[in-house]
Amino acid sequence: MSSPQPREFQAEIRQLLDIVIHSLYTEKAIFVRELVSNAADALEKLRHLQLTEKEIFDDRLPLEINLSTDDKARTFTIQDFGVGMTEAELVENLGTVAHSGSKAFLQALGAGGAKGVDLIGQFGVGFYSAFMVAKRVRVYSHSWRAAEGGCVWESDGAGTYTLDGAEGQRRGCKIVVELRDDCAEFSTASKIEEILRHYSSFVPFPINLNGKRVNTIQALWRRQKGEIKDEEYTEFYKFQADAFDQPRLRLHFSADAPLAINALLFVPEENPERFGLVRAEPAVALYCRKILVDPHPKDLLPEWLRFLKGVVDSEDLPLNISRERAQDRALNAKLGRVLTRRFIKFLEEEAQERPDSYREFYRRFGVFLKEGAALDDTYQNELMKLLRYESSLTKAGETVSLADYAGRMQDGQQEIYYLVGPGREAIEAGPYLEGFRARNLEVLFCTETVDEYVMNHVRELDGKRLVAADQAGVRLGDLPAPPGGGGLSADESKALAAWLQETLAGRVAAAKASDRLVDSPALALNADKFLSPHMRRLMRAMKADGAAESPPRVELHFNPRHAVIRRLDAARRDKPEVAKLVAEQVLDNALIAAGLLDDPQKMVARIYKLLETL
C-alpha cells in the first residue's frame, strides 16, 4: 500500500457524521454500547465462518472483546477477534454509504419524513458514534482471510480519512479513540465499567476491561429453562432488579409467534407500595438481540403491571437508528399485549396448581390486579377471575374467587352480591347481611378502597350482575314466618311506613317494612345509584364540592317483628312527640351503620331528650 493520502468521505457519510455527532444520540456514553455491539456482531460472524471455512487467519484467537483505558493519554481502546475488514471493506463500510437503508434514512430525514430505519447491527452506523467524544479515531484491522494484509483507517471526523498498511495485526478490529478534553471521563476504567454493566452485561462473548472480565451474568432468558438452576435465576434477578430480596415468582418463556420473544419476568418478594413508601416504576427492561434498548420502557406493559421486574428480548423489534427507543409503536404495543396475556395465564396456572403460593402473592400484589380490573378494559374479564375475596360463607382469612362464588349460587340466582366496608368485623356487625344469611345467600366482603371501583366499573361477569347488598333495589325471596308471630300486621306495617315517611320527610326517599331484617330494627339502604355510601365518605374526606351539603338519599326499611318497631308503632298513637324522637333516632342509627350520618351533633341532643322521658 502506498503512503496514506487523505480521502474525502462520501457526501452522505459527511451528512451522517454531522447528524450522529450533533443530534442522533441523547447520551455520549452510548458510543461504548455501539462499539461493543459491533464487536459482538463481528465475533458472531466469525463463529459461523468457523463452521464453514477451512482456513481462517489467526484461528487460535479467543472469541472475546477486550477494552482498555488510559487516563493519562486520554484514550479508549476496544479490540475484537472477529471477522475483521480488508482495505476495500474499510472504505466501503466506513467511507461510503454501503447499504441503501442508510441513504434512505438520510433522504427521509432531510425530507422531514420518517425518523429512521432499521440499521441495527450494521457496522458503519453505530461506529460513527465514537466521533461524539473523539478528536481522532484509528481502526486497525486484519480480515479473517489469510491472504489479506493488515491496515489502519484514521480520521478526525472532519470530512476526510486515510488508509495505510499496518504490519503485525491480529485478526479482527482494534479501535483506538483519542478523546476530546471535555470527554476525558471515558478514559477511566470506572466510567467504562459503569456503561458496560448498564448496556452490555448480556453480550454473548466475554468482555474484558483492562484484563478484568466484566459481563459475568449470563443472558438467562436465551437459555433453556431445564439447564438453569434456581440459584442462577436468583443471582440474575438481584443483578437485573438491583435487589436484595428473593423473587417470589418467576416466568421464563419463549415464543416464535406472533413475535419472536424471549422473556424472563420476576415478581419481587414484597410490594413496596403496600406500605405507602414509594410508587413502583416500570422495571421490565427491553432488549433487542441482548443489547439494552430501554431499561424502563413506560409504554411496554400496562400501568398495573409496574411491580414486575425482568427483561424481554425481541429480535422482531425494529429500532430507530440510535437504538435508544423502539421505532414501531404498533409492534411495541403488540409485544406488550403478548407479555401481559402470557403473565395473566401464568397467574391462572399458579392459582390452579399452587394455590398456597398464589394466595401469598395475592395478599401482597392483589391490589395491582384490582387496579387493572377497574381501569383496563382490555384484560378486565381475565383479571376479575384472578381476584379473591373473603365472604359470608368463609372463615376469616379464607378467600374465594368469583368462579367459586358462581359455582355455589342458588337455583335461579343471577346476582353476585357484595358489601363494601372497612373490614370483615364491621361488615358482619352491620344489618345488611341478615337477610342474605337467613336465605343462605353468599356475600363477598370488599374491604379495600379499590374494591368498590372494581365492582362499579365491571358490573357484570359471565352474565352474572355484581350487586351491592346495601342497594335499595335488591329483591330477596320470601322467608317463612317466624314461629309465634308477634310482629305488626300488614296493615299496621303499611300505616307505620306512611307515618315514618311523613315524619322523616326530606330525610328518606321511602319507608317500608323489610324482608331483609332478622335481628336489627331497621336499616338504611342507599337509594342513589350513582353515589354509594363508601364513595360518599371518600368525597367528604376529600371535601368534594357538594358532597357534604347534599343529604344522602336512602330508603328506611324496618323490621315489623322487632320490639323497638312494635313499641314505636304504639307510641306514634299514644305519645306522638316521643315517637317522633324515636323515629329520628332509629333513622340516625341506621345511617351510622351505613356510614351515611353527616352530623352527629343533632343526634346527641335528641338522645338527651329521649332520656328525659324515662
Side-chain angles (χ1 to χ4, degrees):
M1 184 186 294
S2 59
S3 58
Q5 295 294 323
R7 308 184 187 194
E8 288 194 2
F9 284 116
Q10 190 181 32
E12 288 86 356
I13 287 297
R14 289 199 299 271
Q15 185 182 358
L16 182 61
L17 267 169
D18 183 69
I19 293 171
V20 169
I21 294 172
H22 297 106
S23 60
L24 181 61
Y25 295 95
T26 58
E27 296 181 21
K28 292 179 179 179
I30 286 173
F31 89 93
V32 178
R33 181 197 68 183
E34 293 299 294
L35 296 184
V36 169
S37 178
N38 287 335
D41 289 343
L43 290 170
E44 189 64 46
K45 292 173 183 175
L46 193 283
R47 184 158 58 183
H48 286 289
L49 285 173
Q50 288 175 330
L51 301 175
T52 59
E53 300 293 331
K54 294 182 180 179
E55 186 178 359
I56 293 178
F57 178 71
D58 234 352
D59 62 349
R60 295 185 181 276
L61 285 174
L63 300 186
E64 63 183 21
I65 302 170
N66 294 299
L67 297 88
S68 61
T69 57
D70 187 335
D71 57 354
K72 293 181 179 178
R74 291 185 178 175
T75 60
F76 166 84
T77 303
I78 177 170
Q79 182 173 25
D80 69 74
F81 300 128
V83 291
M85 287 183 284
T86 64
E87 178 182 347
E89 288 169 339
L90 280 168
V91 172
E92 179 185 23
N93 287 328
L94 304 187
T96 65
V97 177
H99 305 280
S100 60
S102 300
K103 194 166 186 177
F105 165 75
L106 294 169
Q107 291 171 345
L109 201 64
K115 296 300 183 183
V117 293
D118 182 14
L119 296 174
I120 189 167
Q122 294 182 8
F123 194 91
V125 177
F127 164 76
Y128 294 112
S129 63
F131 287 100
M132 290 191 299
V133 297
K135 60 183 179 183
R136 181 166 297 276
V137 176
R138 292 190 301 276
V139 180
Y140 298 89
S141 187
H142 194 298
S143 171
W144 65 274
R145 297 177 178 88
E148 299 289 343
C151 47
V152 56
W153 179 99
E154 185 174 344
S155 176
D156 60 3
T160 63
Y161 64 93
T162 62
L163 270 173
D164 199 359
E167 298 297 326
Q169 292 304 306
R170 310 303 300 268
R171 185 193 71 235
C173 283
K174 181 173 74 171
I175 301 174
V176 179
V177 181
E178 294 182 19
L179 297 161
R180 299 198 311 262
D181 292 345
D182 61 333
C183 298
E185 62 178 326
F186 298 111
S187 65
T188 62
S190 59
K191 181 63 177 179
I192 298 302
E193 183 173 1
E194 175 190 335
I195 297 169
L196 291 172
R197 290 191 181 279
H198 183 70
Y199 286 111
S200 306
S201 288
F202 304 112
V203 168
F205 299 97
I207 300 177
N208 303 310
L209 175 59
N210 295 336
K212 174 187 173 184
R213 175 76 179 268
V214 176
N215 58 336
T216 57
I217 304 294
Q218 295 187 46
L220 295 189
W221 67 86
R222 300 299 294 265
R223 289 172 55 189
Q224 295 297 318
K225 289 186 285 187
E227 65 183 33
I228 305 174
K229 298 178 181 179
D230 288 343
E231 295 79 12
E232 292 180 275
Y233 277 122
T234 299
E235 182 184 14
F236 178 89
Y237 163 75
K238 290 182 176 180
F239 174 84
Q240 178 64 24
D242 194 21
F244 299 96
D245 60 340
Q246 301 284 323
R248 179 169 295 280
L249 298 174
R250 70 169 181 259
L251 169 60
H252 184 181
F253 80 98
S254 301
D256 296 322
L259 295 171
I261 297 173
N262 290 280
L264 181 51
L265 306 177
F266 296 94
V267 175
E269 187 172 24
E270 189 53 82
N271 166 19
E273 292 188 16
R274 191 174 170 213
F275 306 104
L277 299 178
V278 66
R279 180 175 176 81
E281 294 294 330
V284 176
L286 181 61
Y287 282 75
C288 186
R289 303 169 195 175
K290 300 182 184 178
I291 302 297
L292 179 65
V293 176
D294 191 340
H296 307 289
K298 293 188 176 180
D299 298 326
L300 178 63
L301 294 173
E303 179 73 8
W304 54 269
L305 278 179
R306 62 188 177 276
F307 62 90
L308 284 180
K309 313 287 185 183
V311 301
V312 56
D313 190 325
S314 177
E315 296 184 7
D316 291 333
L317 194 65
L319 306 175
N320 73 337
I321 189 173
S322 67
R323 283 192 269 195
E324 293 182 83
R325 61 184 182 276
Q327 180 181 332
D328 190 330
R329 288 184 175 275
L331 196 59
N332 199 33
K334 188 175 184 179
L335 174 61
R337 288 194 296 271
V338 172
L339 285 173
T340 302
R341 294 201 183 280
R342 184 61 186 86
F343 184 71
I344 289 175
K345 181 182 178 182
F346 167 72
L347 291 181
E348 291 171 350
E349 294 168 351
E350 193 73 11
Q352 180 91 20
E353 300 169 11
R354 293 169 290 278
D356 290 342
S357 171
Y358 182 76
R359 189 178 300 112
E360 285 302 308
F361 158 79
Y362 186 81
R363 190 165 67 87
R364 292 167 173 81
F365 295 91
V367 65
F368 292 103
L369 305 185
K370 292 177 180 180
E371 178 184 325
L375 302 176
D376 194 339
D377 293 343
T378 304
Y379 309 103
Q380 184 182 91
N381 196 59
E382 297 99 317
L383 289 173
M384 286 298 294
K385 294 175 181 178
L386 289 170
L387 302 188
R388 299 292 186 268
Y389 293 98
E390 291 190 40
S391 84
S392 56
L393 297 186
T394 68
K395 297 178 181 178
E398 293 182 359
T399 59
V400 297
S401 67
L402 274 72
D404 295 332
Y405 183 108
R408 53 190 184 221
M409 289 171 65
Q410 296 183 8
D411 292 341
Q413 182 182 345
Q414 295 298 317
E415 296 82 14
I416 295 175
Y417 297 109
Y418 66 89
L419 276 173
V420 176
R424 182 184 183 111
E425 287 188 9
I427 293 174
E428 290 185 318
Y432 298 101
L433 276 182
E434 294 179 10
F436 294 89
R437 278 178 168 163
R439 295 165 175 82
N440 201 34
L441 288 170
E442 187 170 13
V443 178
L444 300 177
F445 295 162
C446 299
T447 57
E448 291 187 303
T449 302
V450 71
D451 287 328
E452 188 165 17
Y453 291 100
V454 173
M455 297 302 186
N456 286 339
H457 186 73
V458 177
R459 296 185 180 275
E460 185 175 302
L461 182 68
D462 293 340
K464 304 292 191 297
R465 291 193 308 120
L466 300 171
V467 177
D470 58 356
Q471 282 290 330
V474 174
R475 296 291 181 264
L476 301 178
D478 292 335
L479 281 175
L488 299 178
S489 66
D491 289 341
E492 289 172 330
S493 296
K494 187 175 181 180
L496 178 59
W499 179 83
L500 284 170
Q501 194 155 342
E502 179 183 353
T503 301
L504 302 174
R507 297 193 65 194
V508 299
K512 60 182 68 175
S514 176
D515 58 359
R516 297 174 56 167
L517 290 163
V518 177
D519 300 315
S520 299
L523 56 76
L525 294 174
N526 184 34
D528 190 334
K529 295 181 179 179
F530 303 101
L531 192 62
S532 70
H534 186 65
M535 289 295 295
R536 182 181 172 81
R537 287 195 298 273
L538 289 177
M539 292 178 69
R540 282 212 318 270
M542 295 185 294
K543 296 183 179 179
D545 291 343
E549 288 76 10
S550 58
R553 294 187 70 252
V554 299
E555 287 186 6
L556 180 64
H557 287 215
F558 59 87
N559 182 354
R561 295 177 296 277
H562 198 280
V564 169
I565 299 302
R566 287 188 280 115
R567 294 183 67 179
L568 173 61
D569 183 57
R572 72 181 177 87
R573 292 185 293 270
D574 302 334
K575 300 177 181 179
E577 292 302 319
V578 173
K580 185 176 184 297
L581 293 175
V582 171
E584 290 177 344
Q585 190 60 46
V586 167
L587 174 59
D588 279 356
N589 289 351
L591 290 174
I592 289 173
L596 290 171
L597 186 66
D598 292 335
D599 182 10
Q601 295 302 318
K602 293 180 180 179
M603 183 188 71
V604 172
R606 185 190 312 114
I607 290 175
Y608 284 125
K609 286 185 179 181
L610 282 170
L611 291 176
E612 290 175 1
T613 65
L614 295 178

